[in-house]
C-alpha cells in the first residue's frame, strides 16, 4: 500500500478542487493500491469531503480524513500563539499541517508517507517515488536548484545567513517523510525555531531546511518540476513528472499551453467538473468583459485633449513599435536594470498634457514606483499591455481557473 497525504485549508471552499485534481492524477497513473490521507481543519465542507470520497470510489482507492482542529487543537493553538504573522499570511495554517504529521495518526503499519502540495499534478506512477529507500534519512526531497533547473530565487534568509547551503536548499512541495527518523518533538522544535527566525520567506519549507538540509535523500528534479520553468524550457512538451503549479500563478485556461491542458485533463475527471461549471465560467467571462468596457471608457476620458507616450524596455522596443505601427509615436525607453528616472522626468515635463502608456512585463512594479513618485493611475499613466493580443492571457486565465 502506498500512502500519500495533503494538507488542506479551504476558507472559501474553492481550493479543494486543486487537491482533488492532484489526487485524480495519482489514481489515473498508479497501478498499485493507494491510500490518500487528507489533513484538514473545519474549513473542509461536507460537499468537498464527499467529492474526495467520490474520486476514491471511482478508482477503487481509499481516502481518509483527519480534522486537525479536533485531533490536535493544542498544536493549532501553539502555532497561532508563536507565529501568528505567518499563520494569517498567504501561507495560512494549512501550510503547517505537514509539520504536524505524526506516526501515531496511522499506527505501526505506516512508517513513511509522501506529502504533496495541492497544486501538483502527478503525471507518473507515484510508486516510482514511493519505492525510494529512505531508511537512513528523515526525508527525501528535490533540491530547489534542481527543481528550478538553475533558476533558483536568490536572497533566501536561511541561505544568506549561512544556515543552509544553496545547493542543499530543498523544496517542501513534494516530500517523503520517514517517521522513524523524525523526532517526536519536531513540530514544537520547528515552530520555536521559526518564532526566533521570523525573516523566513517560506516558513514551513525553511523549517524543514534548517533541520534536514544537511542529511536528506536528494531526489531527481522530475519529482518536483516547477511549471513556470517547464513552460519556458520544455518547448511545450509533457514528460512523466510531478508538475508543481506553484502558487497557481502559472496555471491558465489558454490551451496553447500543453501544461495547462494537462491540469484541465485531470480536473475534468474530478467531481468538481459538473454542469454548474458552465454557469460559473459565464459569470466570470461576463465580469471580465464588463471590466474591459469600463477600462476602455476610462481610457477614452483620460485621452481627451492629451497626447500618448509609450514607455517600455529596450528589449521590447522593436516588437512594440511594430504593434503600434505609427512612426510618429513618442517613446521613453530604458534598459531593464537601469533607473526609471528618465520616465519620471518625462512624466513631470508632460504632466497634464500627456498620458503614458506603460508597456512592460512587470507593470505592478512600475505602477508602485510611479505612485511613490506622486503620479496617479488613470490620470498620468495606464497599463497598456492589455491592448496587445494574447499578452494578458494569464491575467484572464487565473480568474477563470478560480471559477471552475
Amino acid at each position: 500500500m502506498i500512502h500519500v497525504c495533503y494538507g488542506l485549508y479551504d476558507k472559501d471552499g474553492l481550493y479543494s478542487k486543486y487537491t482533488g485534481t492532484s489526487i485524480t492524477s495519482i489514481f489515473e497513473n498508479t497501478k498499485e493500491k493507494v491510500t490518500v490521507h487528507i489533513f484538514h481543519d473545519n474549513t473542509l465542507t461536507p460537499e468537498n469531503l464527499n467529492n474526495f470520497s467520490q474520486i476514491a470510489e471511482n478508482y477503487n482507492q481509499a481516502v481518509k480524513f483527519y480534522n486537525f482542529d479536533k485531533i490536535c487543537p493544542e498544536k493549532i493553538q501553539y502555532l497561532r500563539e508563536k507565529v501568528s504573522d505567518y499563520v494569517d499570511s498567504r501561507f495560512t495554517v494549512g501550510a503547517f499541517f505537514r509539520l504536524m504529521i505524526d506516526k501515531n495518526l496511522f499506527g505501526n503499519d505506516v512508517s513513511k508517507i509522501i506529502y504533496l502540495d495541492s497544486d501538483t499534478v502527478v503525471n507518473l506512477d507515484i510508486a516510482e517515488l514511493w519505492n525510494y529507500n529512505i531508511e537512513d534519512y528523515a526525508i527525501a526531497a528535490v533540491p530547489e536548484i534542481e527543481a528550478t533547473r538553475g533558476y533558483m530565487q536568490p536572497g533566501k534568509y536561511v541561505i544568506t545567513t549561512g544556515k543552509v547551503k544553496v545547493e542543499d536548499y530543498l523544496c517542501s512541495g513534494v516530500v517523503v517523510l520517514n517517521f522513524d527518523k523524525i523526532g517526536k518533538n519536531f513540530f514544537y522544535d520547528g515552530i520555536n525555531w521559526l518564532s526566533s527566525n521570523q525573516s523566513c520567506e517560506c516558513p514551513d519549507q525553511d523549517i524543514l531546511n534548517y533541520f534536514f538540509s544537511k542529511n536528506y535523500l536528494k531526489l531527481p528534479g522530475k519529482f518536483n518540476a516547477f511549471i513556470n520553468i517547464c513552460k519556458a524550457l520544455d518547448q511545450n512538451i509533457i514528460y512523466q513528472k510531478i508538475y508543481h503549479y506553484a502558487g497557481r500563478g502559472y496555471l491558465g485556461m489558454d490551451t496553447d499551453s500543453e501544461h495547462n491542458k494537462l491540469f484541465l485533463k485531470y480536473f475534468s475527471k474530478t467531481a468538481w467538473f459538473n454542469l454548474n461549471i458552465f454557469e460559473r465560467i459565464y459569470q466570470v467571462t461576463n465580469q471580465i468583459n464588463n471590466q474591459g468596457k469600463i477600462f476602455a471608457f476610462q481610457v477614452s476620458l483620460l485621452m481627451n485633449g492629451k497626447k500618448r507616450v509609450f514607455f517600455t524596455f529596450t528589449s521590447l522596443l522593436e516588437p512594440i513599435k511594430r504593434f503600434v505601427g505609427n512612426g510618429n509615436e513618442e517613446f521613453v525607453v530604458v534598459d531593464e536594470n537601469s533607473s526609471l528616472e528618465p520616465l519620471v522626468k518625462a512624466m513631470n515635463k508632460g504632466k497634464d498634457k500627456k498620458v503614458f502608456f506603460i508597456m512592460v512585463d512587470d507593470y505592478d512594479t512600475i505602477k508602485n514606483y510611479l505612485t511613490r513618485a506622486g503620479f496617479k493611475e488613470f490620470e498620468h499613466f495606464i497599463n497598456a499591455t492589455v491592448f496587445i493580443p494574447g499578452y494578458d492571457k494569464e491575467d484572464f486565465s487565473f480568474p477563470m481557473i478560480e471559477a471552475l
Side-chain angles (χ1 to χ4, degrees), residues 294-310 324 329-330 350 352-358 376-384 387:
I294 293 171
F295 178 78
F297 180 68
Q298 289 174 316
V299 172
S300 66
L301 291 177
L302 178 62
M303 292 306 302
N304 187 25
K306 296 180 181 179
K307 182 179 179 181
R308 64 187 181 191
V309 180
F310 294 92
V324 172
E329 297 289 357
E330 182 179 345
D352 302 324
K353 298 178 182 179
K354 299 178 180 179
V355 176
F356 286 76
F357 282 48
I358 309 300
K376 296 180 180 179
E377 189 179 30
F378 285 110
E379 182 175 337
H380 304 113
F381 66 94
I382 60 169
N383 179 6
F387 295 119

Side-chain angles (χ1 to χ4, degrees), residues 89-324:
S89 71
R90 68 183 177 89
F91 296 99
T92 78
V93 66
F96 294 90
F97 286 168
R98 78 196 76 189
L99 307 180
M100 300 180 189
I101 301 173
D102 192 302
K103 186 175 183 178
N104 293 329
L105 293 169
F106 315 104
N108 294 327
D109 293 337
V110 181
S111 61
K112 68 177 180 178
I113 198 166
I114 297 172
Y115 171 88
L116 296 174
D117 276 353
S118 292
D119 53 1
T120 55
V121 163
V122 181
N123 199 45
L124 49 73
D125 191 325
I126 199 70
E128 186 178 347
L129 174 57
W130 178 256
N131 289 333
Y132 273 83
N133 186 341
I134 64 165
E135 289 183 0
D136 297 329
Y137 304 92
I139 67 171
V142 177
E144 182 162 319
I145 200 166
E146 177 74 15
T148 63
R149 290 154 78 175
Y151 290 87
M152 184 174 177
Q153 291 293 325
K156 295 181 184 296
Y157 167 76
V158 292
I159 293 176
T160 58
T161 56
K163 293 177 173 59
V164 178
K165 293 181 179 179
V166 64
E167 63 269 23
D168 294 333
Y169 188 85
L170 63 90
C171 295
S172 64
V174 179
V175 181
V176 187
L177 304 170
N178 179 359
F179 295 127
D180 294 331
K181 292 289 185 178
I182 296 176
K184 293 181 179 180
N185 295 319
F186 170 64
F187 169 76
Y188 291 104
D189 291 342
I191 299 305
N192 288 336
W193 176 84
L194 182 62
S195 68
S196 301
N197 294 269
Q198 296 204 22
S199 295
C200 293
E201 299 88 348
C202 304
D204 53 300
Q205 181 166 275
D206 287 349
I207 289 173
L208 288 170
N209 270 282
Y210 177 75
F211 283 89
F212 302 121
S213 65
K214 293 181 180 179
N215 186 30
Y216 71 98
L217 179 63
K218 293 182 178 180
L219 298 170
K222 65 181 290 183
F223 292 114
N224 195 346
F226 278 37
I227 201 68
N228 57 323
I229 305 300
C230 295
K231 282 186 175 183
L233 300 180
D234 284 356
Q235 299 180 340
N236 223 17
I237 300 174
I238 298 297
Y239 296 96
Q240 289 188 326
K241 296 181 178 182
I242 297 180
Y243 286 105
H244 194 172
Y245 294 76
R248 294 166 292 156
Y250 294 95
L251 177 60
M253 286 284 287
D254 58 290
T255 53
D256 290 343
S257 168
E258 293 297 325
H259 297 89
N260 288 347
K261 286 197 288 187
L262 183 70
F263 172 86
L264 294 171
K265 166 189 170 182
Y266 291 118
F267 170 73
S268 69
K269 299 176 184 293
T270 72
W272 285 267
F273 190 81
N274 52 46
L275 289 176
N276 294 331
I277 196 172
F278 299 104
E279 179 182 356
R280 294 195 296 271
I281 289 175
Y282 170 78
Q283 290 173 345
V284 174
T285 302
N286 193 47
Q287 179 183 1
I288 293 172
N289 185 49
N290 288 335
Q291 290 172 346
K293 291 178 180 178
I294 293 171
F295 178 78
F297 180 68
Q298 289 174 316
V299 172
S300 66
L301 291 177
L302 178 62
M303 292 306 302
N304 187 25
K306 296 180 181 179
K307 182 179 179 181
R308 64 187 181 191
V309 180
F310 294 92
F311 169 77
T312 190
F313 294 136
T314 304
S315 60
L316 300 173
L317 179 59
E318 290 307 315
I320 288 177
K321 275 188 173 181
R322 289 195 294 270
F323 170 73
V324 172

Side-chain angles (χ1 to χ4, degrees), residues 11-73:
K11 184 178 181 180
D12 56 12
L14 297 176
Y15 197 72
S16 291
K17 61 176 173 282
Y18 298 103
T19 312
T21 301
S22 184
I23 293 171
T24 299
S25 69
I26 293 174
F27 292 163
E28 277 280 316
N29 294 298
T30 303
K31 300 180 181 66
E32 296 183 39
K33 287 292 184 180
V34 179
T35 296
V36 171
H37 307 264
I38 298 179
F39 306 116
H40 63 93
D41 59 7
N42 291 330
T43 62
L44 177 61
T45 66
E47 180 183 2
N48 283 330
L49 187 150
N50 183 67
N51 285 346
F52 287 125
S53 299
Q54 186 63 54
I55 293 172
E57 183 178 336
N58 290 345
Y59 289 92
N60 194 28
Q61 299 283 18
V63 61
K64 296 183 179 180
F65 302 93
Y66 306 76
N67 187 337
F68 278 6
D69 276 336
K70 296 180 179 179
I71 294 174
C72 52

